[in-house]
Amino acid sequence: MNSPFSRLSTRAAYGATQLPRIAWYLGQGIARDRMVQRAREKGSARPRPQTDAPVPSRKRLFEDIAALLKQDLANVEAGLYPMPADHDGSFATMIQRSRAFFQDLPAIHRRRESGDHNEVLTEEMRGKRPLYYLQNFHFQSGGWMTEDSARLYDTQVETLFYGSANVMRRQALPPLHEIFAGRDQRRLSLLDIGCGTGRFLDCVKQAWPRLPAIGLDLSEPYVEEARRHLARWSGIGLMVANAESIPLPDESQDAVTCVFLFHELPPKVRRIALAEFARVLKPGGRLVLVDSIQRGDQPDYDGLLELFPQSFHEPYYLSYIDEDFAALGEACGLAHVRDERAYVSKVMVFDKPS
Ligand SMILES: C[S@@+](CC[C@H](N)C(=O)[O-])C[C@H]1O[C@@H](n2cnc3c(N)ncnc32)[C@H](O)[C@@H]1O
């Protein structure tokens, strides 16, 4: 049982690291929102994003971020994972990334205005990656294909979520704790699909430093960025590969995780990828997906879900928010255990029967 003193010091330590971090990204997020608004008011050829469904106020968003942080702290206090370290880099690095983020906004705005989302579909790239992948998702510069994009990504995502992206990712750890507790972590295995710059694997290694883990992503520059970010850890393998054909044996993984990928896959590919995840899971293994909430999960957010793909290039998002993941899992032999909401994300848990 934690003493009142140790509980107080945990809360003080949590507040001292997480609150300034939220303030940092929230400030940039609000500044970005204002710049986009101003650019639109100056004259935009595009129709204004529209929805008839309810949209949460900013106050409501802040309350829900506060609830997410409370849950994160409760998980730390319950011993489900240690006090988080977000590893955003030194203050100088954060300033540098922030500057690069704001310098890139006009290019994103230009793409949003012109609707141009095919810059990465060059003759050189055609055939080297699936067509659905060769797009400027979110109108980002370089798509998934450049070092600059990989370096900007984490600031873009944290700013979009007002500093809560890592907190949402960490909500995948409690369902992993359920199946890892009491077992020798050195004998387990975890595969993170679409690992991007490795932020979720960093959370995993903080909780289970000796757990052998693999990160897989289709982007070379993102895997390189993950390699840099995860250099402090041992026991991590990183590979450039497609979630549709995972180069690992059947029934080789105790856990498969996948964070913020499924909303970017076409419906057909979602099914192929999920079947691959089921194939590489050991019987008794667990799949944890973290992705956007879906229509109806939080009815007063439904309008926000409709607005999102009108401002960011997200060609598969509208089909994603109506996808029945429990049924998809079942079709691959995975039992749907539960969903848990984490602000604008949800954690979906599936088990492969023993
Ligand atoms: C929105 S990012 C999410 C990255 C990371 N999981 C996170 O938490 O931020 C989507 C990632 O999935 C990768 N990706 C997209 N399609 C893929 C596929 N078919 N196979 C493997 N990776 C893919 C992209 O390269 C990108 O790094």
Side-chain angles (χ1 to χ4, degrees), residues 84-90 93 97 154 166 197-210 225-236 238:
D86 290 288
H87 296 141
D88 290 317
S90 65
T93 304
R97 291 191 170 186
D154 289 305
N166 265 355
T197 57
R199 292 300 174 123
F200 177 63
L201 280 174
D202 193 354
C203 303
V204 167
K205 289 301 261 188
Q206 288 176 43
W208 299 284
R210 300 168 87 182
E225 184 64 26
R227 210 180 296 286
R228 267 192 294 277
H229 185 71
L230 297 167
R232 60 175 63 80
W233 302 110
S234 62
I236 297 186
L238 292 167

PDB file of all heavy atoms in Angstrom, residues 84-90 93 97 154 166 197-210 225-236 238:
ATOM      1  N   PRO A  84       5.860   8.067 -16.414  1.00  0.00           N
ATOM      2  CA  PRO A  84       6.260   8.180 -17.831  1.00  0.00           C
ATOM      3  C   PRO A  84       7.383   9.193 -18.063  1.00  0.00           C
ATOM      4  O   PRO A  84       7.448  10.225 -17.398  1.00  0.00           O
ATOM      5  CB  PRO A  84       4.984   8.668 -18.524  1.00  0.00           C
ATOM      6  CG  PRO A  84       3.925   8.789 -17.498  1.00  0.00           C
ATOM      7  CD  PRO A  84       4.503   8.550 -16.151  1.00  0.00           C
ATOM      8  N   ALA A  85       8.245   8.835 -19.013  1.00  0.00           N
ATOM      9  CA  ALA A  85       9.259   9.788 -19.496  1.00  0.00           C
ATOM     10  C   ALA A  85       8.988   9.920 -20.994  1.00  0.00           C
ATOM     11  O   ALA A  85       9.014   8.922 -21.708  1.00  0.00           O
ATOM     12  CB  ALA A  85      10.648   9.235 -19.248  1.00  0.00           C
ATOM     13  N   ASP A  86       8.693  11.120 -21.453  1.00  0.00           N
ATOM     14  CA  ASP A  86       8.262  11.251 -22.851  1.00  0.00           C
ATOM     15  C   ASP A  86       9.410  11.392 -23.843  1.00  0.00           C
ATOM     16  O   ASP A  86       9.213  11.256 -25.043  1.00  0.00           O
ATOM     17  CB  ASP A  86       7.265  12.413 -22.977  1.00  0.00           C
ATOM     18  CG  ASP A  86       5.949  12.057 -22.312  1.00  0.00           C
ATOM     19  OD1 ASP A  86       5.214  11.231 -22.868  1.00  0.00           O
ATOM     20  OD2 ASP A  86       5.677  12.551 -21.198  1.00  0.00           O
ATOM     21  N   HIS A  87      10.604  11.675 -23.331  1.00  0.00           N
ATOM     22  CA  HIS A  87      11.792  11.734 -24.188  1.00  0.00           C
ATOM     23  C   HIS A  87      11.580  12.617 -25.414  1.00  0.00           C
ATOM     24  O   HIS A  87      11.821  12.187 -26.548  1.00  0.00           O
ATOM     25  CB  HIS A  87      12.212  10.303 -24.614  1.00  0.00           C
ATOM     26  CG  HIS A  87      12.630   9.457 -23.457  1.00  0.00           C
ATOM     27  ND1 HIS A  87      12.309   8.124 -23.346  1.00  0.00           N
ATOM     28  CD2 HIS A  87      13.339   9.748 -22.338  1.00  0.00           C
ATOM     29  CE1 HIS A  87      12.808   7.629 -22.221  1.00  0.00           C
ATOM     30  NE2 HIS A  87      13.427   8.596 -21.596  1.00  0.00           N
ATOM     31  N   ASP A  88      11.107  13.833 -25.179  1.00  0.00           N
ATOM     32  CA  ASP A  88      10.907  14.775 -26.291  1.00  0.00           C
ATOM     33  C   ASP A  88      12.214  15.433 -26.727  1.00  0.00           C
ATOM     34  O   ASP A  88      12.231  16.172 -27.704  1.00  0.00           O
ATOM     35  CB  ASP A  88       9.931  15.881 -25.863  1.00  0.00           C
ATOM     36  CG  ASP A  88       8.514  15.360 -25.698  1.00  0.00           C
ATOM     37  OD1 ASP A  88       8.070  14.580 -26.553  1.00  0.00           O
ATOM     38  OD2 ASP A  88       7.858  15.729 -24.709  1.00  0.00           O
ATOM     39  N   GLY A  89      13.285  15.190 -25.977  1.00  0.00           N
ATOM     40  CA  GLY A  89      14.561  15.801 -26.318  1.00  0.00           C
ATOM     41  C   GLY A  89      14.806  17.018 -25.433  1.00  0.00           C
ATOM     42  O   GLY A  89      13.966  17.403 -24.617  1.00  0.00           O
ATOM     43  N   SER A  90      15.975  17.636 -25.629  1.00  0.00           N
ATOM     44  CA  SER A  90      16.339  18.800 -24.817  1.00  0.00           C
ATOM     45  C   SER A  90      15.436  19.979 -25.172  1.00  0.00           C
ATOM     46  O   SER A  90      14.725  19.956 -26.187  1.00  0.00           O
ATOM     47  CB  SER A  90      17.796  19.183 -25.110  1.00  0.00           C
ATOM     48  OG  SER A  90      17.866  19.609 -26.460  1.00  0.00           O
ATOM     49  N   THR A  93      16.160  21.145 -28.570  1.00  0.00           N
ATOM     50  CA  THR A  93      15.558  20.292 -29.611  1.00  0.00           C
ATOM     51  C   THR A  93      14.083  20.618 -29.774  1.00  0.00           C
ATOM     52  O   THR A  93      13.557  20.701 -30.899  1.00  0.00           O
ATOM     53  CB  THR A  93      15.706  18.796 -29.219  1.00  0.00           C
ATOM     54  OG1 THR A  93      17.068  18.525 -29.018  1.00  0.00           O
ATOM     55  CG2 THR A  93      15.138  17.878 -30.278  1.00  0.00           C
ATOM     56  N   ARG A  97      12.327  21.888 -33.128  1.00  0.00           N
ATOM     57  CA  ARG A  97      11.227  21.145 -33.773  1.00  0.00           C
ATOM     58  C   ARG A  97       9.991  22.018 -33.911  1.00  0.00           C
ATOM     59  O   ARG A  97       9.264  21.931 -34.900  1.00  0.00           O
ATOM     60  CB  ARG A  97      10.923  19.880 -32.981  1.00  0.00           C
ATOM     61  CG  ARG A  97      12.086  18.917 -33.127  1.00  0.00           C
ATOM     62  CD  ARG A  97      11.806  17.541 -32.628  1.00  0.00           C
ATOM     63  NE  ARG A  97      12.933  16.699 -33.059  1.00  0.00           N
ATOM     64  CZ  ARG A  97      13.007  15.411 -32.918  1.00  0.00           C
ATOM     65  NH1 ARG A  97      12.032  14.757 -32.342  1.00  0.00           N
ATOM     66  NH2 ARG A  97      14.058  14.738 -33.348  1.00  0.00           N
ATOM     67  N   ASP A 154       6.371  13.847 -34.757  1.00  0.00           N
ATOM     68  CA  ASP A 154       5.934  13.799 -33.352  1.00  0.00           C
ATOM     69  C   ASP A 154       5.400  15.144 -32.876  1.00  0.00           C
ATOM     70  O   ASP A 154       4.429  15.187 -32.127  1.00  0.00           O
ATOM     71  CB  ASP A 154       7.074  13.287 -32.459  1.00  0.00           C
ATOM     72  CG  ASP A 154       7.295  11.804 -32.701  1.00  0.00           C
ATOM     73  OD1 ASP A 154       6.322  11.051 -32.567  1.00  0.00           O
ATOM     74  OD2 ASP A 154       8.414  11.415 -33.072  1.00  0.00           O
ATOM     75  N   ASN A 166       1.090  10.822 -26.535  1.00  0.00           N
ATOM     76  CA  ASN A 166       1.770   9.761 -25.769  1.00  0.00           C
ATOM     77  C   ASN A 166       0.869   9.227 -24.661  1.00  0.00           C
ATOM     78  O   ASN A 166       0.912   8.038 -24.355  1.00  0.00           O
ATOM     79  CB  ASN A 166       3.066  10.297 -25.141  1.00  0.00           C
ATOM     80  CG  ASN A 166       4.276  10.007 -26.005  1.00  0.00           C
ATOM     81  OD1 ASN A 166       4.173   9.323 -27.029  1.00  0.00           O
ATOM     82  ND2 ASN A 166       5.426  10.527 -25.608  1.00  0.00           N
ATOM     83  N   THR A 197       7.769   6.498 -35.520  1.00  0.00           N
ATOM     84  CA  THR A 197       9.038   6.968 -34.946  1.00  0.00           C
ATOM     85  C   THR A 197       9.361   6.281 -33.614  1.00  0.00           C
ATOM     86  O   THR A 197      10.271   6.695 -32.910  1.00  0.00           O
ATOM     87  CB  THR A 197       8.978   8.490 -34.723  1.00  0.00           C
ATOM     88  OG1 THR A 197       7.851   8.756 -33.864  1.00  0.00           O
ATOM     89  CG2 THR A 197       8.805   9.241 -36.030  1.00  0.00           C
ATOM     90  N   GLY A 198       8.583   5.269 -33.256  1.00  0.00           N
ATOM     91  CA  GLY A 198       8.940   4.442 -32.098  1.00  0.00           C
ATOM     92  C   GLY A 198       8.445   4.935 -30.752  1.00  0.00           C
ATOM     93  O   GLY A 198       8.874   4.439 -29.708  1.00  0.00           O
ATOM     94  N   ARG A 199       7.524   5.905 -30.781  1.00  0.00           N
ATOM     95  CA  ARG A 199       7.078   6.456 -29.491  1.00  0.00           C
ATOM     96  C   ARG A 199       6.363   5.411 -28.629  1.00  0.00           C
ATOM     97  O   ARG A 199       6.541   5.392 -27.419  1.00  0.00           O
ATOM     98  CB  ARG A 199       6.167   7.674 -29.714  1.00  0.00           C
ATOM     99  CG  ARG A 199       6.900   8.868 -30.297  1.00  0.00           C
ATOM    100  CD  ARG A 199       8.002   9.271 -29.330  1.00  0.00           C
ATOM    101  NE  ARG A 199       8.834  10.318 -29.862  1.00  0.00           N
ATOM    102  CZ  ARG A 199       9.039  11.493 -29.250  1.00  0.00           C
ATOM    103  NH1 ARG A 199       8.446  11.762 -28.103  1.00  0.00           N
ATOM    104  NH2 ARG A 199       9.849  12.379 -29.780  1.00  0.00           N
ATOM    105  N   PHE A 200       5.547   4.564 -29.237  1.00  0.00           N
ATOM    106  CA  PHE A 200       4.847   3.577 -28.411  1.00  0.00           C
ATOM    107  C   PHE A 200       5.830   2.526 -27.884  1.00  0.00           C
ATOM    108  O   PHE A 200       5.748   2.110 -26.725  1.00  0.00           O
ATOM    109  CB  PHE A 200       3.691   2.912 -29.174  1.00  0.00           C
ATOM    110  CG  PHE A 200       3.022   1.860 -28.343  1.00  0.00           C
ATOM    111  CD1 PHE A 200       2.375   2.197 -27.159  1.00  0.00           C
ATOM    112  CD2 PHE A 200       3.085   0.514 -28.684  1.00  0.00           C
ATOM    113  CE1 PHE A 200       1.795   1.228 -26.340  1.00  0.00           C
ATOM    114  CE2 PHE A 200       2.509  -0.462 -27.873  1.00  0.00           C
ATOM    115  CZ  PHE A 200       1.863  -0.098 -26.710  1.00  0.00           C
ATOM    116  N   LEU A 201       6.791   2.119 -28.717  1.00  0.00           N
ATOM    117  CA  LEU A 201       7.774   1.128 -28.239  1.00  0.00           C
ATOM    118  C   LEU A 201       8.575   1.689 -27.062  1.00  0.00           C
ATOM    119  O   LEU A 201       8.980   0.948 -26.168  1.00  0.00           O
ATOM    120  CB  LEU A 201       8.704   0.719 -29.381  1.00  0.00           C
ATOM    121  CG  LEU A 201       8.119  -0.312 -30.354  1.00  0.00           C
ATOM    122  CD1 LEU A 201       9.060  -0.546 -31.534  1.00  0.00           C
ATOM    123  CD2 LEU A 201       7.832  -1.646 -29.647  1.00  0.00           C
ATOM    124  N   ASP A 202       8.799   2.995 -27.063  1.00  0.00           N
ATOM    125  CA  ASP A 202       9.483   3.627 -25.929  1.00  0.00           C
ATOM    126  C   ASP A 202       8.649   3.436 -24.659  1.00  0.00           C
ATOM    127  O   ASP A 202       9.172   3.087 -23.592  1.00  0.00           O
ATOM    128  CB  ASP A 202       9.682   5.124 -26.244  1.00  0.00           C
ATOM    129  CG  ASP A 202      10.645   5.800 -25.283  1.00  0.00           C
ATOM    130  OD1 ASP A 202      11.079   5.156 -24.310  1.00  0.00           O
ATOM    131  OD2 ASP A 202      10.952   6.991 -25.495  1.00  0.00           O
ATOM    132  N   CYS A 203       7.318   3.631 -24.777  1.00  0.00           N
ATOM    133  CA  CYS A 203       6.435   3.418 -23.611  1.00  0.00           C
ATOM    134  C   CYS A 203       6.513   1.960 -23.163  1.00  0.00           C
ATOM    135  O   CYS A 203       6.560   1.665 -21.959  1.00  0.00           O
ATOM    136  CB  CYS A 203       4.969   3.737 -23.963  1.00  0.00           C
ATOM    137  SG  CYS A 203       4.664   5.389 -24.595  1.00  0.00           S
ATOM    138  N   VAL A 204       6.514   1.044 -24.134  1.00  0.00           N
ATOM    139  CA  VAL A 204       6.556  -0.393 -23.807  1.00  0.00           C
ATOM    140  C   VAL A 204       7.841  -0.725 -23.054  1.00  0.00           C
ATOM    141  O   VAL A 204       7.826  -1.416 -22.029  1.00  0.00           O
ATOM    142  CB  VAL A 204       6.460  -1.236 -25.109  1.00  0.00           C
ATOM    143  CG1 VAL A 204       6.802  -2.693 -24.861  1.00  0.00           C
ATOM    144  CG2 VAL A 204       5.067  -1.116 -25.723  1.00  0.00           C
ATOM    145  N   LYS A 205       8.979  -0.207 -23.561  1.00  0.00           N
ATOM    146  CA  LYS A 205      10.260  -0.554 -22.933  1.00  0.00           C
ATOM    147  C   LYS A 205      10.397   0.077 -21.546  1.00  0.00           C
ATOM    148  O   LYS A 205      11.073  -0.469 -20.682  1.00  0.00           O
ATOM    149  CB  LYS A 205      11.434  -0.139 -23.834  1.00  0.00           C
ATOM    150  CG  LYS A 205      11.569  -0.986 -25.081  1.00  0.00           C
ATOM    151  CD  LYS A 205      11.768  -2.463 -24.768  1.00  0.00           C
ATOM    152  CE  LYS A 205      13.208  -2.875 -24.832  1.00  0.00           C
ATOM    153  NZ  LYS A 205      13.406  -4.332 -24.726  1.00  0.00           N
ATOM    154  N   GLN A 206       9.756   1.224 -21.333  1.00  0.00           N
ATOM    155  CA  GLN A 206       9.795   1.796 -19.981  1.00  0.00           C
ATOM    156  C   GLN A 206       9.093   0.846 -19.001  1.00  0.00           C
ATOM    157  O   GLN A 206       9.490   0.714 -17.853  1.00  0.00           O
ATOM    158  CB  GLN A 206       9.115   3.158 -19.963  1.00  0.00           C
ATOM    159  CG  GLN A 206       9.945   4.228 -20.663  1.00  0.00           C
ATOM    160  CD  GLN A 206       9.250   5.565 -20.737  1.00  0.00           C
ATOM    161  OE1 GLN A 206       8.644   6.016 -19.781  1.00  0.00           O
ATOM    162  NE2 GLN A 206       9.337   6.210 -21.890  1.00  0.00           N
ATOM    163  N   ALA A 207       8.031   0.190 -19.469  1.00  0.00           N
ATOM    164  CA  ALA A 207       7.279  -0.719 -18.592  1.00  0.00           C
ATOM    165  C   ALA A 207       7.971  -2.085 -18.479  1.00  0.00           C
ATOM    166  O   ALA A 207       7.976  -2.694 -17.410  1.00  0.00           O
ATOM    167  CB  ALA A 207       5.858  -0.879 -19.121  1.00  0.00           C
ATOM    168  N   TRP A 208       8.543  -2.571 -19.587  1.00  0.00           N
ATOM    169  CA  TRP A 208       9.168  -3.914 -19.596  1.00  0.00           C
ATOM    170  C   TRP A 208      10.526  -3.810 -20.312  1.00  0.00           C
ATOM    171  O   TRP A 208      10.656  -4.172 -21.498  1.00  0.00           O
ATOM    172  CB  TRP A 208       8.262  -4.917 -20.329  1.00  0.00           C
ATOM    173  CG  TRP A 208       6.931  -5.062 -19.654  1.00  0.00           C
ATOM    174  CD1 TRP A 208       6.658  -5.761 -18.503  1.00  0.00           C
ATOM    175  CD2 TRP A 208       5.677  -4.489 -20.077  1.00  0.00           C
ATOM    176  NE1 TRP A 208       5.323  -5.643 -18.186  1.00  0.00           N
ATOM    177  CE2 TRP A 208       4.701  -4.879 -19.128  1.00  0.00           C
ATOM    178  CE3 TRP A 208       5.281  -3.673 -21.138  1.00  0.00           C
ATOM    179  CZ2 TRP A 208       3.368  -4.479 -19.220  1.00  0.00           C
ATOM    180  CZ3 TRP A 208       3.963  -3.279 -21.230  1.00  0.00           C
ATOM    181  CH2 TRP A 208       3.019  -3.688 -20.279  1.00  0.00           C
ATOM    182  N   PRO A 209      11.547  -3.310 -19.604  1.00  0.00           N
ATOM    183  CA  PRO A 209      12.833  -3.027 -20.270  1.00  0.00           C
ATOM    184  C   PRO A 209      13.496  -4.245 -20.894  1.00  0.00           C
ATOM    185  O   PRO A 209      14.294  -4.109 -21.813  1.00  0.00           O
ATOM    186  CB  PRO A 209      13.704  -2.456 -19.144  1.00  0.00           C
ATOM    187  CG  PRO A 209      12.812  -2.266 -17.967  1.00  0.00           C
ATOM    188  CD  PRO A 209      11.529  -2.981 -18.184  1.00  0.00           C
ATOM    189  N   ARG A 210      13.175  -5.433 -20.396  1.00  0.00           N
ATOM    190  CA  ARG A 210      13.861  -6.632 -20.919  1.00  0.00           C
ATOM    191  C   ARG A 210      12.988  -7.433 -21.874  1.00  0.00           C
ATOM    192  O   ARG A 210      13.329  -8.558 -22.247  1.00  0.00           O
ATOM    193  CB  ARG A 210      14.338  -7.482 -19.752  1.00  0.00           C
ATOM    194  CG  ARG A 210      15.311  -6.671 -18.879  1.00  0.00           C
ATOM    195  CD  ARG A 210      15.579  -7.328 -17.580  1.00  0.00           C
ATOM    196  NE  ARG A 210      16.678  -8.275 -17.696  1.00  0.00           N
ATOM    197  CZ  ARG A 210      17.098  -9.034 -16.704  1.00  0.00           C
ATOM    198  NH1 ARG A 210      16.503  -8.962 -15.529  1.00  0.00           N
ATOM    199  NH2 ARG A 210      18.083  -9.866 -16.887  1.00  0.00           N
ATOM    200  N   GLU A 225      14.257   7.031 -37.813  1.00  0.00           N
ATOM    201  CA  GLU A 225      13.967   7.948 -36.705  1.00  0.00           C
ATOM    202  C   GLU A 225      13.669   7.130 -35.434  1.00  0.00           C
ATOM    203  O   GLU A 225      14.121   7.488 -34.341  1.00  0.00           O
ATOM    204  CB  GLU A 225      12.771   8.840 -37.073  1.00  0.00           C
ATOM    205  CG  GLU A 225      12.408   9.920 -36.066  1.00  0.00           C
ATOM    206  CD  GLU A 225      13.471  10.988 -35.853  1.00  0.00           C
ATOM    207  OE1 GLU A 225      14.282  11.246 -36.762  1.00  0.00           O
ATOM    208  OE2 GLU A 225      13.497  11.557 -34.731  1.00  0.00           O
ATOM    209  N   ALA A 226      12.928   6.024 -35.594  1.00  0.00           N
ATOM    210  CA  ALA A 226      12.639   5.151 -34.443  1.00  0.00           C
ATOM    211  C   ALA A 226      13.955   4.592 -33.884  1.00  0.00           C
ATOM    212  O   ALA A 226      14.148   4.526 -32.671  1.00  0.00           O
ATOM    213  CB  ALA A 226      11.705   4.018 -34.859  1.00  0.00           C
ATOM    214  N   ARG A 227      14.856   4.221 -34.765  1.00  0.00           N
ATOM    215  CA  ARG A 227      16.144   3.664 -34.319  1.00  0.00           C
ATOM    216  C   ARG A 227      16.886   4.691 -33.458  1.00  0.00           C
ATOM    217  O   ARG A 227      17.426   4.374 -32.406  1.00  0.00           O
ATOM    218  CB  ARG A 227      16.994   3.294 -35.549  1.00  0.00           C
ATOM    219  CG  ARG A 227      17.935   2.141 -35.314  1.00  0.00           C
ATOM    220  CD  ARG A 227      18.763   1.809 -36.547  1.00  0.00           C
ATOM    221  NE  ARG A 227      17.996   1.341 -37.695  1.00  0.00           N
ATOM    222  CZ  ARG A 227      17.437   0.133 -37.795  1.00  0.00           C
ATOM    223  NH1 ARG A 227      17.564  -0.725 -36.823  1.00  0.00           N
ATOM    224  NH2 ARG A 227      16.750  -0.205 -38.878  1.00  0.00           N
ATOM    225  N   ARG A 228      16.872   5.955 -33.913  1.00  0.00           N
ATOM    226  CA  ARG A 228      17.540   7.017 -33.136  1.00  0.00           C
ATOM    227  C   ARG A 228      16.836   7.193 -31.796  1.00  0.00           C
ATOM    228  O   ARG A 228      17.460   7.265 -30.748  1.00  0.00           O
ATOM    229  CB  ARG A 228      17.473   8.350 -33.910  1.00  0.00           C
ATOM    230  CG  ARG A 228      18.682   8.618 -34.791  1.00  0.00           C
ATOM    231  CD  ARG A 228      18.685  10.053 -35.296  1.00  0.00           C
ATOM    232  NE  ARG A 228      17.561  10.315 -36.199  1.00  0.00           N
ATOM    233  CZ  ARG A 228      17.554  10.022 -37.500  1.00  0.00           C
ATOM    234  NH1 ARG A 228      18.616   9.467 -38.045  1.00  0.00           N
ATOM    235  NH2 ARG A 228      16.517  10.289 -38.253  1.00  0.00           N
ATOM    236  N   HIS A 229      15.496   7.246 -31.862  1.00  0.00           N
ATOM    237  CA  HIS A 229      14.733   7.542 -30.640  1.00  0.00           C
ATOM    238  C   HIS A 229      14.858   6.424 -29.603  1.00  0.00           C
ATOM    239  O   HIS A 229      14.842   6.679 -28.401  1.00  0.00           O
ATOM    240  CB  HIS A 229      13.251   7.762 -30.994  1.00  0.00           C
ATOM    241  CG  HIS A 229      12.434   8.178 -29.818  1.00  0.00           C
ATOM    242  ND1 HIS A 229      12.558   9.429 -29.238  1.00  0.00           N
ATOM    243  CD2 HIS A 229      11.518   7.508 -29.078  1.00  0.00           C
ATOM    244  CE1 HIS A 229      11.743   9.504 -28.206  1.00  0.00           C
ATOM    245  NE2 HIS A 229      11.101   8.356 -28.083  1.00  0.00           N
ATOM    246  N   LEU A 230      15.002   5.179 -30.102  1.00  0.00           N
ATOM    247  CA  LEU A 230      14.999   4.026 -29.186  1.00  0.00           C
ATOM    248  C   LEU A 230      16.401   3.545 -28.839  1.00  0.00           C
ATOM    249  O   LEU A 230      16.552   2.480 -28.223  1.00  0.00           O
ATOM    250  CB  LEU A 230      14.198   2.880 -29.829  1.00  0.00           C
ATOM    251  CG  LEU A 230      12.702   3.186 -30.062  1.00  0.00           C
ATOM    252  CD1 LEU A 230      12.071   2.139 -30.979  1.00  0.00           C
ATOM    253  CD2 LEU A 230      11.954   3.248 -28.735  1.00  0.00           C
ATOM    254  N   ALA A 231      17.420   4.333 -29.207  1.00  0.00           N
ATOM    255  CA  ALA A 231      18.814   3.872 -29.027  1.00  0.00           C
ATOM    256  C   ALA A 231      19.129   3.579 -27.559  1.00  0.00           C
ATOM    257  O   ALA A 231      20.041   2.804 -27.259  1.00  0.00           O
ATOM    258  CB  ALA A 231      19.780   4.914 -29.582  1.00  0.00           C
ATOM    259  N   ARG A 232      18.393   4.171 -26.629  1.00  0.00           N
ATOM    260  CA  ARG A 232      18.668   3.955 -25.203  1.00  0.00           C
ATOM    261  C   ARG A 232      18.300   2.543 -24.741  1.00  0.00           C
ATOM    262  O   ARG A 232      18.694   2.133 -23.668  1.00  0.00           O
ATOM    263  CB  ARG A 232      17.928   4.987 -24.341  1.00  0.00           C
ATOM    264  CG  ARG A 232      16.433   4.956 -24.481  1.00  0.00           C
ATOM    265  CD  ARG A 232      15.741   5.916 -23.511  1.00  0.00           C
ATOM    266  NE  ARG A 232      16.077   7.316 -23.732  1.00  0.00           N
ATOM    267  CZ  ARG A 232      15.554   8.095 -24.668  1.00  0.00           C
ATOM    268  NH1 ARG A 232      14.650   7.602 -25.489  1.00  0.00           N
ATOM    269  NH2 ARG A 232      15.914   9.346 -24.790  1.00  0.00           N
ATOM    270  N   TRP A 233      17.531   1.814 -25.572  1.00  0.00           N
ATOM    271  CA  TRP A 233      17.041   0.499 -25.150  1.00  0.00           C
ATOM    272  C   TRP A 233      17.767  -0.626 -25.887  1.00  0.00           C
ATOM    273  O   TRP A 233      18.160  -0.456 -27.039  1.00  0.00           O
ATOM    274  CB  TRP A 233      15.541   0.358 -25.447  1.00  0.00           C
ATOM    275  CG  TRP A 233      14.691   1.391 -24.792  1.00  0.00           C
ATOM    276  CD1 TRP A 233      14.030   2.420 -25.405  1.00  0.00           C
ATOM    277  CD2 TRP A 233      14.401   1.522 -23.398  1.00  0.00           C
ATOM    278  NE1 TRP A 233      13.348   3.174 -24.493  1.00  0.00           N
ATOM    279  CE2 TRP A 233      13.564   2.642 -23.247  1.00  0.00           C
ATOM    280  CE3 TRP A 233      14.768   0.801 -22.259  1.00  0.00           C
ATOM    281  CZ2 TRP A 233      13.080   3.057 -21.998  1.00  0.00           C
ATOM    282  CZ3 TRP A 233      14.299   1.213 -21.021  1.00  0.00           C
ATOM    283  CH2 TRP A 233      13.465   2.333 -20.908  1.00  0.00           C
ATOM    284  N   SER A 234      17.877  -1.787 -25.230  1.00  0.00           N
ATOM    285  CA  SER A 234      18.364  -2.971 -25.954  1.00  0.00           C
ATOM    286  C   SER A 234      17.167  -3.881 -26.191  1.00  0.00           C
ATOM    287  O   SER A 234      16.095  -3.691 -25.601  1.00  0.00           O
ATOM    288  CB  SER A 234      19.445  -3.678 -25.140  1.00  0.00           C
ATOM    289  OG  SER A 234      18.877  -4.112 -23.928  1.00  0.00           O
ATOM    290  N   GLY A 235      17.365  -4.881 -27.049  1.00  0.00           N
ATOM    291  CA  GLY A 235      16.303  -5.870 -27.269  1.00  0.00           C
ATOM    292  C   GLY A 235      15.183  -5.362 -28.139  1.00  0.00           C
ATOM    293  O   GLY A 235      14.041  -5.804 -27.993  1.00  0.00           O
ATOM    294  N   ILE A 236      15.496  -4.421 -29.045  1.00  0.00           N
ATOM    295  CA  ILE A 236      14.468  -3.975 -29.991  1.00  0.00           C
ATOM    296  C   ILE A 236      14.962  -4.239 -31.414  1.00  0.00           C
ATOM    297  O   ILE A 236      16.067  -3.832 -31.780  1.00  0.00           O
ATOM    298  CB  ILE A 236      14.180  -2.461 -29.865  1.00  0.00           C
ATOM    299  CG1 ILE A 236      13.616  -2.125 -28.485  1.00  0.00           C
ATOM    300  CG2 ILE A 236      13.182  -2.007 -30.937  1.00  0.00           C
ATOM    301  CD1 ILE A 236      13.162  -0.703 -28.310  1.00  0.00           C
ATOM    302  N   LEU A 238      14.066  -3.565 -35.444  1.00  0.00           N
ATOM    303  CA  LEU A 238      13.212  -2.700 -36.278  1.00  0.00           C
ATOM    304  C   LEU A 238      13.296  -3.176 -37.720  1.00  0.00           C
ATOM    305  O   LEU A 238      14.385  -3.507 -38.202  1.00  0.00           O
ATOM    306  CB  LEU A 238      13.679  -1.247 -36.172  1.00  0.00           C
ATOM    307  CG  LEU A 238      13.446  -0.608 -34.789  1.00  0.00           C
ATOM    308  CD1 LEU A 238      14.211   0.709 -34.673  1.00  0.00           C
ATOM    309  CD2 LEU A 238      11.965  -0.372 -34.520  1.00  0.00           C
TER     310      LEU A 238
END
